[in-house]
Amino acid sequence: QMLNDTARNVAFEHGLQRSLREGGRVVDLGCGCGLLTRLALRQGASEALAVEIAPHLARLARRMLPEAKVICGDLRAVMVDEAERFDVVVAELLDAGGLGEKIVP
């Protein structure tokens, strides 16, 4: 459902237009299939790191984003070199219903 949520996707795209400079570096935390990473690359990001904990989604993101570095793992455990700073962090960590992430008991 989230992929088809036009209002949400347009809002993220506008946010990236306002915050990302041409050639900026982006990290997408909880990238899923990589939609937000794709939007960042389309807005001119020179590099993108996408992190996804679910192996099947990380595999899909790798196929969809050959120009990005995709890591399958818990974002809390991913380590990057201190010299590897990012200009923009994007994250959409809720699933379509809010129930999958145990936000609603």
Side-chain angles (χ1 to χ4, degrees):
Q1 287 179 336
M2 293 172 77
L3 289 176
N4 295 322
D5 186 342
T6 303
R8 168 194 167 271
N9 298 338
V10 168
F12 270 110
E13 192 159 32
H14 287 295
L16 285 164
Q17 285 171 345
R18 287 190 304 271
S19 59
L20 180 63
R21 293 191 175 126
E22 185 74 27
R25 300 181 73 240
V26 174
V27 60
D28 183 355
L29 303 175
C31 72
C33 68
L35 175 65
L36 300 182
T37 306
R38 169 63 54 221
L39 293 176
L41 290 166
R42 191 163 62 187
Q43 291 302 320
S46 63
E47 288 183 58
L49 170 63
V51 182
E52 174 56 50
I53 197 168
H56 67 287
L57 289 173
R59 283 191 300 274
L60 177 60
R62 284 187 188 107
R63 287 200 320 259
M64 300 299 292
L65 303 163
E67 65 273 59
K69 179 178 180 182
V70 178
I71 296 175
C72 182
D74 187 326
L75 64 90
R76 297 170 296 181
V78 172
M79 302 297 285
V80 294
D81 189 287
E82 191 167 325
E84 230 184 309
R85 300 279 175 128
F86 297 95
D87 302 299
V88 174
V89 176
V90 294
E92 171 59 281
L93 302 176
L94 305 177
D95 73 0
L99 301 174
E101 300 289 335
K102 297 186 174 61
I103 292 169
V104 179

